Amino acid sequence: MISIKNVNKSFGNHHVLTDINLEVPKSNVVALIGPSGAGKSTLIRTINALEEIDTGEIIVDGISIHDKKTDINKARTNIGFVFQSFNLYPFLSALENVTIAPMKVKGLSKAEAEKRGKELLTSLGLGDKFDAYPGRLSGGQQQRVAIARALAMDPQVMLFDEPTSALDPEMVKEVLDAIRQLANDGMTMVVVTHEMGFAKEICDQIVFMAEGKIVEVAPPEKFFTNPDSKRAQDFLSVVL
Ligand code: ADP
Ligand code: MG
């Protein structure tokens, strides 16, 4: 579903992604972990072309994302992205946040978009928050609206960049539960996270990055008990 081939990227003379290769099969969940500055955000942002790449190719659901001939706005409708900072539209209600893109980009009628939006919000435990504005919602609720908003476009792929890092601890679980539910439903996902227990539980592969490189790729049982690389061993000795 996601194929990343020989990707390199620099910011000026700072080489932040070096020879990145990664395959994510359909319905797989990949956790991208590693120290701050490793290039995790940059890499996940290249998957929907929020960042350009210097060399290589990224294919999502058969579309070459960085090809000049690709209609990137169309391609992005297939790739949901959830950020650390929820980035909701503050002057739109929860339901309006969820329905605006399906109406404007996909041409759904208001009734169609609202029907689907209400289903999504309800499935995320926000059935009583349709009319609430973001400022009246907790961080965990806002992040669940952001997830509903991404899902409203019916993407084949969901990308999460530290979706719980801006949340108070008591709200982390509700957001992780929402992501876990998506995993159970078979969504293909890449999740940048520091939640190691969560990564261990729901992910098919752990991708460990450091200094702009993928250092190790392993199933969680292997990665968390017996990582091959010294770099991953050192990282785990600090975070576990
Ligand atoms: P991570 O998400 O793993 O913490 P990032 O992908 O955010 O890492 O950053 C990787 C490196 O790229 C860091 O050294 C960071 O300072 C640098 N970097 C990220 N974004 C930019 C940018 N827009 N301009 C210049 N340097 C950047
Ligand atoms: Mg980051």
Side-chain angles (χ1 to χ4, degrees):
M1 182 59 77
I2 304 172
S3 177
I4 300 176
K5 292 178 186 155
N6 301 317
V7 164
N8 282 271
K9 175 173 182 69
S10 298
F11 288 113
N13 55 15
H14 183 188
H15 203 147
V16 292
L17 296 177
T18 302
D19 299 332
I20 301 290
N21 287 282
L22 181 65
E23 300 290 324
V24 184
K26 188 171 168 57
S27 294
N28 266 41
V29 181
V30 166
L32 211 49
I33 71 174
S36 179
K40 305 180 298 295
S41 293
T42 304
L43 177 58
I44 200 171
R45 290 164 61 85
T46 65
I47 298 174
N48 72 343
L50 288 176
E51 297 286 356
E52 293 292 310
I53 59 177
D54 300 332
T55 70
E57 184 172 30
I58 298 179
I59 298 171
V60 178
D61 199 16
I63 305 291
S64 181
I65 294 295
H66 292 267
D67 189 323
K68 296 279 173 287
K69 295 190 284 291
T70 295
D71 177 347
I72 187 61
N73 290 320
K74 183 156 182 283
R76 277 189 189 132
T77 65
N78 202 28
I79 307 172
F81 202 116
V82 175
F83 302 86
Q84 178 177 334
S85 54
F86 330 118
N87 294 352
L88 296 176
Y89 302 112
F91 302 115
L92 298 180
S93 69
L95 184 59
E96 288 165 342
N97 264 280
V98 174
T99 57
I100 185 167
M103 285 162 53
K104 288 207 164 163
V105 181
K106 286 199 148 178
L108 262 62
S109 70
K110 190 167 186 226
E112 288 168 324
E114 288 192 344
K115 179 169 182 289
R116 176 81 175 121
K118 287 177 178 176
E119 281 168 12
L120 284 166
L121 287 170
T122 303
S123 74
L124 287 158
L126 297 165
D128 58 345
K129 301 293 181 196
F130 297 162
D131 299 324
Y133 286 83
R136 288 299 183 92
L137 297 172
S138 72
Q141 290 168 336
Q142 289 184 59
Q143 192 60 304
R144 285 181 284 145
V145 174
I147 293 170
R149 180 177 60 176
L151 292 173
M153 298 298 279
D154 286 322
Q156 289 290 314
V157 167
M158 286 285 286
L159 308 175
F160 294 86
D161 190 0
E162 298 198 30
T164 61
S165 295
L167 298 176
D168 291 333
E170 72 271 22
M171 291 167 193
V172 168
K173 183 175 179 297
E174 63 196 54
V175 171
L176 294 183
D177 284 346
I179 301 172
R180 181 183 293 109
Q181 185 57 50
L182 286 176
N184 292 339
D185 293 345
M187 180 63 81
T188 308
M189 298 194 278
V190 178
V191 186
V192 178
T193 186
H194 297 293
E195 298 287 338
M196 296 301 151
F198 175 74
K200 195 171 182 173
E201 178 202 344
I202 76 153
C203 293
D204 299 287
Q205 304 181 72
I206 305 293
V207 174
F208 175 71
M209 285 184 77
E211 287 104 36
K213 300 190 182 88
I214 293 180
V215 176
E216 188 159 350
V217 179
E221 354 17 303
K222 157 100 175 117
F223 182 80
F224 287 107
T225 55
N226 189 22
D228 287 330
S229 63
K230 174 81 168 62
R231 194 71 188 74
Q233 288 162 14
D234 292 346
F235 177 76
L236 290 174
S237 74
V238 177
V239 301
L240 285 186

